[in-house]
Amino acid sequence: MKINTSKLIIYTFIITSIWDILLRFMVERYALLPNIIKKYKFLKYLTQYFKQHTLISAALIAGFIGAVVQFIVIQSYPFPSLLDNYMKLFLFLLLSFIISGLFGFIIKESKLFPYLTDSYYKKLGPINAMIHDGVSGIIVQLTLLFLFHIIKL
């Protein structure tokens, strides 16, 4: 099944925005989270960022960044049309991790998102920020793979 590029970019924007809303929900209820989740300090680091943005503005920023990253990823390697080729799937996810991780440096250096840089990237440090951004990219890609291949959007 070939996936339409425009549809993929739009769904990436939506899914990334939804994940951002869920992340905000967790950050705003940090005290109520189980201790096993609280040990991941990045959630606490996002508190100031979410205080600076409305629910919609933060979700739109995340969605925009996700869509741009997805565009770069699929220019480099196609979105898997089948899930039976594990090597292609692995390469796609690895490339998504790398590009998502590196895109954080662009975000930080562009100075377009000062609240994100000051409240999140500076506290995490470059290596942890790259890992967190990479994992975020993987989460979005796995969600999209599930929606396109299991749910059949």
Side-chain angles (χ1 to χ4, degrees):
M1 156 179 95
K2 176 134 173 52
I3 295 168
N4 178 291
T5 301
S6 298
K7 184 177 177 181
L8 178 61
I9 298 295
I10 291 167
Y11 275 109
T12 302
F13 180 92
I14 293 167
I15 295 304
T16 307
S17 297
I18 290 170
W19 276 116
D20 188 76
I21 292 168
L22 292 172
L23 184 62
R24 180 190 194 108
F25 183 80
M26 289 178 19
V27 167
E28 289 175 347
R29 288 149 186 83
Y30 185 81
L32 302 174
L33 294 174
N35 287 334
I36 194 163
I37 296 175
K38 284 183 187 176
K39 73 177 184 177
Y40 298 104
K41 302 280 187 225
F42 78 95
L43 290 170
K44 197 169 189 175
Y45 297 159
L46 287 167
T47 303
Q48 278 306 113
Y49 172 73
F50 285 127
K51 284 182 180 178
Q52 295 295 326
H53 291 285
T54 66
L55 177 82
I56 297 299
S57 69
L60 289 173
I61 290 169
F64 173 75
I65 291 169
V68 170
V69 169
Q70 183 72 281
F71 180 78
I72 295 168
V73 169
I74 61 175
Q75 297 306 307
S76 308
Y77 200 85
F79 190 84
S81 58
L82 298 171
L83 296 181
D84 61 352
N85 188 328
Y86 297 116
M87 184 52 81
K88 285 185 177 182
L89 182 59
F90 173 76
L91 289 173
F92 175 75
L93 291 174
L94 178 63
L95 188 63
S96 296
F97 178 85
I98 292 168
I99 292 172
S100 296
L102 292 175
F103 203 78
F105 290 109
I106 294 170
I107 292 169
K108 185 179 168 190
E109 294 305 315
S110 73
K111 298 182 180 23
L112 289 173
F113 308 103
Y115 297 123
L116 190 58
T117 299
D118 292 340
S119 64
Y120 182 68
Y121 286 113
K122 282 184 182 175
K123 291 179 181 176
L124 272 179
I127 301 300
N128 283 332
M130 190 171 94
I131 292 168
H132 282 84
D133 288 341
V135 169
S136 176
I138 295 293
I139 290 169
V140 170
Q141 297 295 26
L142 290 174
T143 304
L144 289 164
L145 287 165
F146 174 78
L147 290 173
F148 280 113
H149 294 291
I150 309 301
I151 304 297
K152 308 273 189 219
L153 285 181

